[in-house]
Amino acid sequence: MDDFYLTNSDQKRLASLSKNPYLKQRGYPGTHDLPLGLTTLNKLKNAEPCALPVYDKSKYQGQGDRADESSWPLIDAPQEIVILEGWMLGFVPQTKVKDSHLNEINEYLKDYEVWLNFINLFIILTPKKINYVIDWRVEAEKNRSKQGQESMSEEEAYSYIKNFIPAYELYSSSLKSRASQFSKCLTFEIGENRLPL
């Protein structure tokens, strides 16, 4: 789902117009180009030639931007397997939300339901401790920096990913009900080393 993020300029526009702190950065529901995602998934499903969008997280000192369309890989043959991956894929909108900012996110989340129609097999990876995701994100930025790419500082990465913890706490438990909607579903609990326990 990361490759369907809004462009950097569209994300900045959203951030400037919104008072919601969760929409000030990429990642939350509402920060994706939903029509681009839907068009891409439809083309893949129907075995039509398709340029796969690419999002470059290293651009703008780690703030990211969509890569130039000329660099998108072209898929021109039917694919046996297509993996759609995303941290919030499958989150179920909740009826009781105390955080007013998450209420707005809840509304955006409903627009992603159509993407689930493309899924035949659902796989859920759940960290044993939610805080692991903070360490993993900080590590990813450090690795990007080691590779000579632009990246967030450790403090920026920590601040960035910490904003997702309220969503993990609110929506993670709903994945069990989501899993029941699929005839084929695998669930794995992941340890700190990212391996299944």
Side-chain angles (χ1 to χ4, degrees):
M1 292 173 66
D2 289 4
D3 290 317
F4 301 138
Y5 279 139
L6 296 172
T7 61
N8 185 272
S9 59
D10 285 342
Q11 177 60 48
K12 284 181 179 175
R13 188 176 303 110
L14 173 65
S16 69
L17 295 173
S18 177
K19 294 180 180 178
N20 191 324
Y22 302 131
L23 297 176
K24 300 289 185 185
Q25 62 187 41
R26 69 175 191 261
Y28 264 92
T31 64
H32 297 84
D33 185 332
L34 293 177
L36 175 64
L38 191 58
T39 299
T40 303
L41 292 171
N42 267 313
K43 287 183 176 181
L44 290 168
K45 180 179 180 179
N46 296 320
E48 298 174 20
C50 174
L52 288 181
V54 174
Y55 193 88
D56 185 349
K57 291 181 180 178
S58 70
K59 288 188 173 185
Y60 297 101
Q61 291 79 45
Q63 297 306 310
D65 196 6
R66 193 176 300 155
D68 188 87
E69 197 167 337
S70 63
S71 69
W72 297 3
L74 181 64
I75 305 297
D76 57 4
Q79 303 298 300
E80 288 186 45
I81 297 173
V82 174
I83 298 174
L84 176 63
E85 176 275 334
W87 75 279
M88 41 135 304
L89 185 64
F91 281 0
V92 177
Q94 301 296 295
T95 54
K96 296 180 181 179
V97 183
K98 295 178 182 177
D99 184 335
S100 61
H101 298 304
L102 281 177
N103 264 321
E104 183 179 2
I105 297 304
N106 217 28
E107 290 303 309
Y108 278 117
L109 190 57
K110 295 173 184 176
D111 296 332
Y112 291 76
E113 291 289 306
V114 66
W115 288 12
L116 296 174
N117 295 331
F118 294 92
I119 297 176
N120 299 316
L121 169 63
F122 199 62
I123 301 172
I124 302 171
L125 306 177
T126 305
K128 183 172 178 63
K129 295 182 180 178
I130 291 177
N131 284 342
Y132 288 165
V133 299
I134 296 176
D135 297 334
W136 294 338
R137 183 71 212 169
V138 170
E139 182 183 14
E141 290 299 324
K142 285 181 179 178
N143 289 339
R144 188 173 287 118
S145 179
K146 287 177 184 177
Q147 294 168 5
Q149 298 177 346
E150 291 184 59
S151 62
M152 295 180 188
S153 68
E154 184 171 341
E155 294 77 19
E156 289 170 331
Y158 179 84
S159 176
Y160 168 80
I161 197 62
K162 193 174 179 188
N163 277 337
F164 293 93
I165 298 303
Y168 277 111
E169 291 173 343
L170 176 63
Y171 295 111
S172 292
S173 61
S174 69
L175 286 174
K176 289 183 180 179
S177 64
R178 174 68 75 197
S180 67
Q181 297 178 22
F182 294 90
S183 59
K184 297 176 182 177
C185 181
L186 297 172
T187 302
F188 297 96
E189 188 176 47
I190 304 298
E192 191 172 10
N193 61 358
R194 296 185 177 87
L195 296 177
L197 298 173

